[in-house]
Amino acid sequence: MNFLRNRAGVIIVVCIGFAIFAFLLGDVISYGTPFWTRNQNQVGSINGEAIDINEFNAQVDQTSEMFRQQMGGGTLSPQMKSWAVEQVWGQYLNRELLKKEIDRIGISVGKIELNELVQGDNPSMQIQQAFRNPQTGQFDRDQLNNFLSQVRSLPQGHEAYGQWETLLQNVIDERLNSKYTSLLNNSIYVTTLEATEEYNQRNKLANFEYVLLDYNSIQDSAVTITEQDYEEYYNENKGVFKNAQETRSLEYVVFDASPTSQDTARVRATIEELKTQLAESTTDSLFAAVNSDTKYPYSYRKKGEFSPALDSLLFSVPVGTTVGPVLSANGVFEIAKVVDSRVGPDSVKASHILLNPATEGGLDKAKAKADSIAALIRKGESFAALAVQFSMDENSKINGGELGTFGRGQMPAQAIENAAFDGKAGDVAIATSQFGIHIINIVDQIGSSRVIKAAIIDKQVNSGRETMDAAYGKATQFFSVLNKNNFQETATQQSIAIQKADNVTALETSLTGTEVPRELVRWAFEAEKGEIVDKIHESNDKYIVARLTDIQEEGQLPLEAVKKDIESVVRNRAKARTLIAQATEALKGAGNIAQVGEKLGKAPVLAENIVFANPIIPGVAQENAVVGTVFGLQPKQPSKPVSGSQGVFVVEVSGFVNPAAPTDLNAQRRQITQSLSQRTSSLAFRALQDKAKIVDNRARFF
């Protein structure tokens, strides 16, 4: 009690302080992110500008979807996702690194300029690529207009709206970068002296003879490489041994669980049974949608638009016939039932008026209003005027409701396409889509082809449980006896081939061509050298077991990390000492190359019409040091020994052929300027990147 009385003040202060701290800490935990985890939601930072994972991931999703659509739809592969992550990261880098430079200079993109880049006579390449006709591979302006007419009516949170905003930002960034690069290029100046020297390097000819003492003339076993040899070469070339980013090296084994002939037979039996049921079905499209691995559009298509295996079959049988199964090259069985066949237009030119049921008082009232408008049009009222008055499509109404010319499969609303292709030129049709009620004026129909509507079912040939279990059993047998020291020994005992993957980056999705789960790569960047993977990893129809063999840190690599890579070069340098001594002895008292060759027992070889800018000796290799020496020699004088890439050379110039003076030195200057301009942008970006402080946490999230 005496202690409490004497220390009461201190105790009360400590308790109050602790309570305040606990209160603030609880507030942080409840309402915000604690200070020790404030960077957990950052995918990285560039010069202090944090990149939030949610914002970054939204752009990755949009870019992934664009990639998927450009590649014909289907499943988004891990490789596509990886490309998307890399592209979005590159856009962030490009935008942030150039932002301060661009702001400082005062470069911008105005509204009129942006409109020209989107809808002008020469749109941005990004716009042209995004709206490319899949049949022709060319930019389709009608497809762009159709998209714009739809996206303007969408809310800002809609996926398509977000994709468009991202594309616009990319177009702006591309234009800003182009202006910045143009500014840099305009600062390039090539002097007359530089142009003359470049001209001579490319046109002055050297004729010379050489004697080559090949490194292969000395056995590797006859040469001892010392630690000093390694250190000398490493120190001379230190700038080469820098790692731009942290990498890993692994050795791994793959247990293949690819489908067997039994698996193929099993899937064939399934698809044969489905064929019988499809032939008897009265709800073809529904039956196909329920049973097919791929949900194919139930619409009319021309010859060449079905899979190659089905295409010829579908156009050679009557309506009601079920064809297949056929097996495609990628291991998919397909069957199809011809539901209808007709001759229809290849493309349609049309206009529309869009009514929004929500603003018209409901679907029934919107349909009644559409009927009234259609009746006015059929009586001769101006479609364009009515479109301006009534259409909710802000983009097309200013053009009288024009949708342009479109082919099958290009219209985002299937109902519009059906109405436009099923009617005939001059018709006014009404259709309901996810966007609202459309009054469609079929202006013209172009071309004529036979089209088929088919219900298609496909089944991928996948590995069965027995196949997967057999492969997993082998993987388990291997994995269960592993430790840090017996990976190679165990693989040899079990007759399993070991594969190696060097310089693996943190965002890799494959190891030397084998697709692997991202979880495996993330493990590699958290493990210690020599560690065995924590579990058997599964990728598609493969099981993988790996061991981390090396870690290459970012920045300057130590000598030990590159010893293996430089061993052959260092050995040749050691051989060169012996060969230089031989050549030096042969040069004593020799007045020409023939005498040197006689002493060495080698006939001189003639090399003709060699230029400085292309230092290749025919029949030997690219020899920079040798050809450089040649252009510094006086004729008829043997050189000192020169260490090259293939051996030690002694050379003697026969003579030089000087080119005629350039007729147009300005043209030479322009050519050099153009060559420099092609590298300016990448060099400037690299310089900004080297100076920047970049934190890359992508591997934590992807």
Side-chain angles (χ1 to χ4, degrees):
M1 292 298 294
N2 187 54
F3 172 82
L4 290 175
R5 279 195 296 270
N6 293 335
R7 297 289 187 270
V10 174
I11 294 171
I12 290 171
V13 169
V14 170
C15 291
I16 292 173
F18 179 78
I20 292 173
F21 176 76
F23 174 78
L24 293 175
L25 185 62
D27 187 59
V28 169
I29 293 173
S30 301
Y31 298 101
T33 304
F35 65 88
W36 59 84
T37 61
R38 62 180 178 271
N39 293 325
Q40 287 189 356
N41 290 329
Q42 292 180 11
V43 75
S45 65
I46 303 167
N47 287 333
E49 292 290 333
I51 304 172
D52 182 73
I53 181 58
N54 296 322
E55 178 186 337
F56 187 88
N57 205 33
Q59 293 194 32
V60 168
D61 289 342
Q62 291 166 12
T63 304
S64 300
E65 181 61 22
M66 288 174 63
F67 282 160
R68 192 185 67 81
Q69 291 175 3
Q70 288 171 10
M71 296 188 177
T75 305
L76 181 71
S77 69
Q79 188 63 53
M80 287 185 199
K81 183 66 174 286
S82 177
W83 291 340
V85 171
E86 195 63 37
Q87 178 165 312
V88 173
W89 178 255
Q91 289 166 356
Y92 270 96
L93 270 182
N94 200 61
R95 190 179 304 143
E96 290 299 327
L97 292 179
L98 294 179
K99 184 169 66 175
K100 290 183 180 178
E101 290 287 296
I102 288 171
D103 290 345
R104 181 173 61 85
I105 297 168
I107 300 174
S108 62
V109 176
K111 289 184 178 180
I112 296 176
E113 184 180 9
L114 179 58
N115 190 57
E116 281 296 310
L117 289 170
V118 174
Q119 292 182 286
D121 295 335
N122 187 26
S124 161
M125 285 304 300
Q126 295 205 47
I127 294 292
Q128 294 187 38
Q129 291 171 2
F131 297 97
R132 182 179 295 169
N133 188 308
Q135 279 76 40
T136 65
Q138 302 298 314
F139 169 58
D140 190 335
R141 191 174 295 275
D142 290 334
Q143 188 178 344
L144 168 63
N145 292 335
N146 292 340
F147 179 82
L148 287 175
S149 68
Q150 300 296 337
V151 81
R152 296 289 175 82
S153 62
L154 297 174
Q156 289 192 4
H158 194 278
E159 183 180 2
Y161 191 92
Q163 290 178 6
W164 176 244
E165 289 295 307
T166 300
L167 181 58
L168 278 184
Q169 186 59 56
N170 293 341
V171 169
I172 293 171
D173 291 342
E174 181 184 56
R175 183 60 173 165
L176 289 173
N177 295 348
S178 175
K179 289 183 176 184
Y180 180 73
T181 302
S182 296
L183 188 64
L184 293 176
N185 289 341
N186 287 332
S187 69
I188 297 172
Y189 183 78
V190 178
T191 66
T192 301
L193 183 62
E194 289 173 317
T196 302
E197 179 63 21
E198 175 78 7
Y199 177 79
N200 287 333
Q201 288 181 7
R202 294 190 178 279
N203 294 280
K204 183 178 180 179
L205 305 177
N207 299 312
F208 61 91
E209 291 182 284
Y210 65 89
V211 172
L212 168 61
L213 299 177
D214 200 304
Y215 295 135
N216 290 330
S217 63
I218 300 178
Q219 294 291 328
D220 289 351
S221 58
V223 178
T224 301
I225 308 175
T226 67
E227 191 66 23
Q228 185 179 353
D229 291 331
Y230 280 111
E231 289 176 358
E232 285 180 359
Y233 181 80
Y234 176 80
N235 290 329
E236 289 173 15
N237 299 274
K238 212 164 187 177
V240 175
F241 308 120
K242 287 185 177 179
N243 222 14
Q245 58 180 317
E246 188 175 339
T247 58
R248 296 288 191 269
S249 295
L250 300 97
E251 58 184 5
Y252 63 100
V253 295
V254 177
F255 299 89
D256 194 1
S258 299
T260 63
S261 56
Q262 288 85 355
D263 294 321
T264 303
R266 170 179 51 78
V267 178
R268 177 183 285 276
T270 300
I271 201 79
E272 289 281 11
E273 183 178 348
L274 287 172
K275 178 182 179 181
T276 302
Q277 296 173 7
L278 177 61
E280 298 172 353
S281 174
T282 57
T283 55
D284 305 313
S285 61
L286 178 60
F287 184 82
V290 169
N291 291 284
S292 182
D293 287 351
T294 305
K295 308 309 177 190
Y296 293 98
Y298 189 62
S299 59
Y300 289 95
R301 288 190 271 178
K302 296 189 298 184
K303 188 172 178 58
E305 295 182 349
F306 295 94
S307 70
L310 281 179
D311 204 66
S312 57
L313 292 176
L314 290 172
F315 284 86
S316 61
V317 297
V319 172
T321 305
T322 303
V323 300
V326 292
L327 181 62
S328 64
N330 58 347
V332 176
F333 278 111
E334 291 179 307
I335 58 174
K337 183 177 183 180
V338 180
V339 178
D340 193 18
S341 174
R342 63 174 63 175
V343 175
D346 295 328
S347 58
V348 173
K349 183 177 182 181
S351 301
H352 85 142
I353 297 170
L354 175 64
L355 302 181
N356 185 351
T359 59
E360 298 294 340
L363 186 61
D364 291 339
K365 289 184 178 180
K367 286 182 176 179
K369 185 173 180 178
D371 289 334
S372 300
I373 294 173
L376 292 174
I377 296 168
R378 294 185 185 107
K379 290 178 180 178
E381 291 286 335
S382 169
F383 188 96
L386 292 171
V388 172
Q389 182 180 355
F390 294 110
S391 183
M392 301 298 293
D393 183 349
E394 298 296 334
N395 191 64
S396 70
K397 70 186 294 183
I398 60 175
N399 297 318
E402 289 185 9
L403 292 172
T405 303
F406 50 91
R408 294 183 185 274
Q410 295 181 1
M411 188 58 60
Q414 185 67 45
I416 298 178
E417 181 176 309
N418 292 341
F421 280 89
D422 291 348
K424 59 182 184 296
D427 283 357
V428 177
I430 297 174
T432 303
S433 78
Q434 69 270 34
F435 301 105
I437 308 296
H438 305 264
I439 302 104
I440 302 163
N441 180 28
I442 306 173
V443 179
D444 193 14
Q445 293 180 326
I446 304 152
S448 179
S449 300
R450 186 183 172 200
V451 291
I452 281 177
K453 180 183 283 187
I456 304 171
I457 298 175
D458 70 354
K459 287 292 178 185
Q460 176 74 47
V461 177
N462 293 318
S463 301
R465 175 48 52 194
E466 185 178 338
T467 303
M468 298 294 289
D469 287 347
Y472 187 73
K474 292 179 181 178
T476 302
Q477 183 182 0
F478 176 76
F479 183 71
S480 62
V481 296
L482 286 181
N483 58 52
K484 289 185 177 182
N485 304 314
N486 70 350
F487 193 91
Q488 294 187 4
E489 179 187 349
T490 304
T492 302
Q493 290 174 352
Q494 298 186 17
S495 300
I496 302 169
I498 293 179
Q499 301 183 51
K500 297 182 183 297
D502 295 323
N503 300 316
V504 177
T505 63
L507 291 171
E508 289 284 2
T509 57
S510 64
L511 301 178
T512 58
T514 300
E515 188 176 299
V516 296
R518 289 284 305 127
E519 185 184 6
L520 172 58
V521 178
R522 274 195 288 269
W523 164 84
F525 276 79
E526 296 171 356
E528 298 293 332
K529 182 178 176 179
E531 275 191 42
I532 302 296
V533 72
D534 52 347
K535 65 179 182 180
I536 299 170
H537 286 271
E538 182 178 355
S539 176
N540 294 333
D541 50 8
K542 295 178 177 62
Y543 294 104
I544 303 164
V545 179
R547 174 177 174 268
L548 184 66
T549 57
D550 201 7
I551 297 173
Q552 299 86 31
E553 300 286 351
E554 181 182 358
Q556 185 69 44
L557 294 172
L559 173 59
E560 289 302 318
V562 300
K563 255 188 177 181
K564 184 178 179 182
D565 297 328
I566 66 176
E567 182 180 351
S568 62
V569 179
V570 174
R571 181 180 289 110
N572 284 344
R573 281 164 61 103
K575 291 179 180 180
R577 290 196 290 266
T578 302
L579 297 176
I580 287 173
Q582 294 177 16
T584 301
E585 186 65 28
L587 280 164
K588 292 179 180 178
N592 54 54
I593 193 75
Q595 293 174 0
V596 174
E598 186 177 351
K599 289 184 179 182
L600 294 171
K602 288 180 173 291
V605 180
L606 178 64
E608 295 183 296
N609 301 328
I610 307 300
V611 296
F612 184 86
N614 187 28
I616 295 175
I617 300 177
V620 183
Q622 180 171 319
E623 292 288 359
N624 297 353
V626 179
V627 174
T629 300
V630 165
F631 278 87
L633 291 174
Q634 295 297 320
K636 306 302 180 183
Q637 294 181 7
S639 71
K640 293 180 180 180
V642 182
S643 295
S645 63
Q646 299 299 308
V648 172
F649 292 76
V650 177
V651 296
E652 181 180 289
V653 174
S654 306
F656 295 104
V657 180
N658 291 312
T663 56
D664 186 358
L665 202 56
N666 286 330
Q668 183 72 17
R669 292 172 61 187
R670 286 193 298 271
Q671 183 179 349
I672 299 172
T673 301
Q674 183 178 4
S675 176
L676 291 171
S677 297
Q678 292 172 352
R679 309 201 315 266
T680 300
S681 178
S682 60
L683 290 174
F685 183 77
R686 172 56 62 184
L688 291 171
Q689 193 169 353
D690 289 342
K691 290 177 63 178
K693 184 179 180 181
I694 299 170
V695 178
D696 186 353
N697 297 328
R698 285 179 292 163
R700 191 192 299 169
F701 302 98
F702 299 99

